[in-house]
Amino acid sequence: MERTLVLVKPDGVQRGLIGEVTSRLERRGLRLAAAKFIQVSNELAETHYAIHKGKPFYAGLIQYITSAPVMAMVWEGPSAVAAVRQTMGATRPTEAAPGSLRHDFALEIGRNLTHASDTVENGEKEVALWFQPGELVDWKRETDRWIFEK
Ligand code: IDP
Ligand code: MG
């Protein structure tokens, strides 16, 4: 089953949108596999965003993600990576599809509410970076067979 890392970033937490994000992923049919509410260290922020090191927005991005707690979650399901990215919307909120979270709740790229893994490979890496294996819950949901074809 495909897994993806989702973060409700500090702006989403401060604005009381943890429930909104979680609710949209639940109602889409994705299955929660892990969750924790944490203050992100500089070290974790820098490892997570290593790919953006050297870009003009990098320092601000590290400041942003460490400025208040985040809600970190692992969601799973068929095509979970693509499905979650679609529910979040494009990185720049003014380009996000109407109905997506970033369209409905954000205006600026530097305050775009959420993180979601962008590829299956990065999903696996990010889940391993943010969660210990024992923190992932392996479970069957009563509704799985009505949402997952196989
Ligand atoms: P993603 O979060 O949609 O995967 P990425 O391109 O991986 O987008 O960028 C990571 C995060 O860095 C974005 O979500 C956003 O918060 C921030 N970011 C990206 N580009 C800019 C920018 O041009 N200015 C400010 N922040 C940016
Ligand atoms: Mg990204």
Side-chain angles (χ1 to χ4, degrees):
M1 191 67 70
E2 204 170 296
R3 283 178 169 160
T4 187
L5 177 79
V6 171
L7 304 177
V8 182
K9 291 173 174 177
D11 49 339
V13 170
Q14 293 283 1
R15 293 173 59 193
L17 295 172
I18 295 172
E20 180 72 34
V21 174
T22 306
S23 157
R24 286 182 179 219
L25 297 174
E26 274 190 309
R27 99 185 165 192
R28 184 103 196 245
L30 292 150
R31 190 172 67 194
L32 187 64
K36 60 184 172 188
F37 184 61
I38 55 166
Q39 173 64 50
V40 178
S41 65
N42 265 300
E43 190 190 356
L44 177 57
E46 285 171 13
T47 308
H48 176 72
Y49 281 129
I51 194 167
H52 296 301
K53 195 164 185 178
K55 294 184 185 166
F57 60 85
Y58 177 74
L61 178 57
I62 300 299
Q63 218 284 323
Y64 166 43
I65 201 77
T66 57
S67 62
V70 307
M71 187 71 187
M73 299 179 273
V74 177
W75 287 86
E76 60 191 4
S79 303
V81 168
V84 171
R85 293 280 294 187
Q86 184 184 40
T87 293
M88 299 312 172
T91 306
R92 189 178 296 282
T94 51
E95 291 168 6
S100 67
L101 273 160
R102 284 163 168 173
H103 170 279
D104 290 354
F105 293 96
L107 292 169
E108 295 230 88
I109 194 168
R111 295 290 183 271
N112 62 357
L113 289 179
T114 55
H115 167 81
S117 309
D118 60 354
T119 62
V120 175
E121 191 191 357
N122 285 339
E124 284 168 13
K125 281 190 201 155
E126 291 177 357
V127 167
L129 174 66
W130 287 76
F131 287 88
Q132 301 295 322
E135 293 176 312
L136 295 162
V137 181
D138 187 11
W139 66 298
K140 295 275 168 281
R141 191 174 46 176
E142 297 298 330
T143 52
D144 279 350
R145 69 195 178 99
W146 303 110
I147 300 167
F148 304 158
E149 188 179 354
K150 292 189 187 92

